[in-house]
Amino acid sequence: MRAFPASVLAICGLIATGCGGAVPGGASAGRAAEPAPAPPARAAGVATAKPLDGKVVVIDPGHNGGNYKNPAAVNRKVNVLTKWKPCDTTGTETTGGYTEAAFTWDVSNRLVKLLESRGAKVKLTRSSNTGVGPCITERAAIGNKAKADAALSVHADGAAPAGHGFHVIMPKKINGPVDPVVGKSSRLGVAVRDSFRKGTGLPYSTYIGSKALDYRSDLGGLNLSTVPKVFVECGNMKNPAEAAKFQDPKFRQRIALALADGLQHYLEA
C-alpha cells in the first residue's frame, strides 16, 4: 500500500468521508458491524419429518417360545392353498440350546424400535416369547388387516453344520391372493438382501437359493399375504461360527439395523 504524507492523513481524520473513510457509526468508527439477522426459530411443537412417516410395517418373529409345550396346537393342519401344513413349528436351535424363537423375538423387537424411531407404525405378529403360535395363516392375516406397506418374517435356519450364510425367501404366483404383490415382494427381498449383506458382513447362503434369493410356493405366510412380504433366514444356527454371532447382542443389533435399512430402502423407492 502507498504511504500518504502526514498532512493528508490529518485532513482525512477531520473529514473522513472525503477520503473514502467509513461513515460515523460504522465498523471503522470503533463498533463491530451489525450481525446478520438470525433465521426464524422453528415453531414450538412442530416435529421434524421422519423418513418412514405414514408407513405401516408388520414384523413377524418366527415361531414362539411356548410352541413346544403344546404340540397338538402347533401340529394342527392348516390350508396354505398349495398344500396342508402344520399351524406352526418349534423352530430350530443352536447346539447349545439357544432357540430360533428367542433369536427372532430379540431381533424383531430391536427392529421395531429402529423403525419406530424413523417414523413407521409397526405391528408384531406375537406379543411375547412364552406363548403358542399364532398359526402361519394368522400371521399372514395380521399383515393383511394392517394393510402393511411391507411385512417381514424373521427366521434363522437349521441346516447341516457345514452350510453357512443367509438367504431371503420370496413368494411365487400361485393363482392366489399373493399374486398381485409378487413383484413388490421381489423388490422388497432384493432390498433386504443387499442391506443385510452390507450391514452384517454375512455371506450369501452356500446351500440354498441363488445369490441369497429363494422363491417358494409352500409357505402360508407368503401364499396368503395380500401385502408385500418376504422371509429372511438370517443364517444357519447349526453352523458354529454363525451360532456364536447370533448369541452376541451386539451382532443381533447389527442384524436389526441391516433389516431396518433394507425396509427403509424399499419403502422410500
Side-chain angles (χ1 to χ4, degrees):
M1 177 182 287
R2 183 165 57 89
F4 289 94
S7 59
V8 174
L9 292 176
I11 295 171
C12 286
L14 295 173
I15 312 174
T17 55
C19 295
V23 296
S28 62
R31 287 209 323 240
E34 291 296 326
R42 184 182 296 131
V46 177
T48 304
K50 296 180 179 180
L52 298 182
D53 280 346
K55 300 297 184 181
V56 177
V57 181
V58 168
I59 302 300
D60 176 28
H63 313 287
N64 203 325
N67 279 3
Y68 74 97
K69 297 178 181 179
N70 197 336
V74 297
N75 290 330
R76 177 173 63 87
K77 292 297 195 299
V78 295
N79 185 4
V80 303
L81 303 183
T82 56
K83 63 191 302 183
W84 288 78
K85 296 188 72 172
C87 159
D88 203 3
T89 66
T90 59
T92 189
E93 63 183 20
T94 68
T95 55
Y98 180 55
T99 67
E100 180 184 359
F103 169 77
T104 64
W105 179 242
D106 182 86
V107 169
S108 294
N109 277 277
R110 293 172 184 272
L111 178 54
V112 168
K113 291 179 181 178
L114 290 166
L115 293 171
E116 288 181 339
S117 72
R118 301 179 188 190
K121 178 180 179 182
V122 190
K123 185 173 182 61
L124 285 166
T125 59
R126 58 184 172 100
S127 58
S128 74
N129 194 43
T130 56
V132 177
C135 287
I136 53 180
T137 51
E138 296 172 71
R139 292 172 188 262
I142 290 169
N144 297 345
K145 183 178 179 180
K147 294 180 170 56
D149 295 291
L152 177 68
S153 192
V154 181
H155 288 262
D157 215 357
H164 64 278
F166 77 96
H167 67 282
V168 179
I169 305 172
M170 294 172 289
K172 291 181 176 180
K173 288 188 176 181
I174 57 168
N175 292 320
V178 73
D179 287 13
V181 294
V182 163
K184 290 182 178 179
S185 296
S186 182
R187 292 193 290 275
L188 170 61
V190 170
V192 168
R193 180 201 61 181
D194 292 349
S195 290
F196 195 94
R197 177 73 179 91
K198 180 179 179 181
T200 67
L202 290 176
Y204 293 166
S205 173
T206 60
Y207 59 91
I208 193 169
S210 174
K211 296 182 179 178
L213 301 177
D214 187 33
Y215 294 85
R216 290 175 60 174
S217 61
D218 64 323
L219 298 177
L222 296 182
N223 288 357
L224 298 167
S225 182
T226 59
V227 301
K229 184 176 181 179
V230 299
F231 281 44
V232 59
E233 296 281 1
C234 296
N236 183 10
M237 296 194 86
K238 298 298 186 182
N239 178 273
E242 290 181 353
K245 290 179 183 292
F246 294 162
Q247 292 174 86
D248 179 359
K250 292 182 179 179
F251 195 79
R252 294 198 298 271
Q253 183 67 21
R254 283 181 63 183
I255 289 175
L257 182 58
L259 294 175
D261 289 346
L263 285 162
Q264 181 173 335
H265 181 75
Y266 167 77
L267 292 168
E268 289 185 322

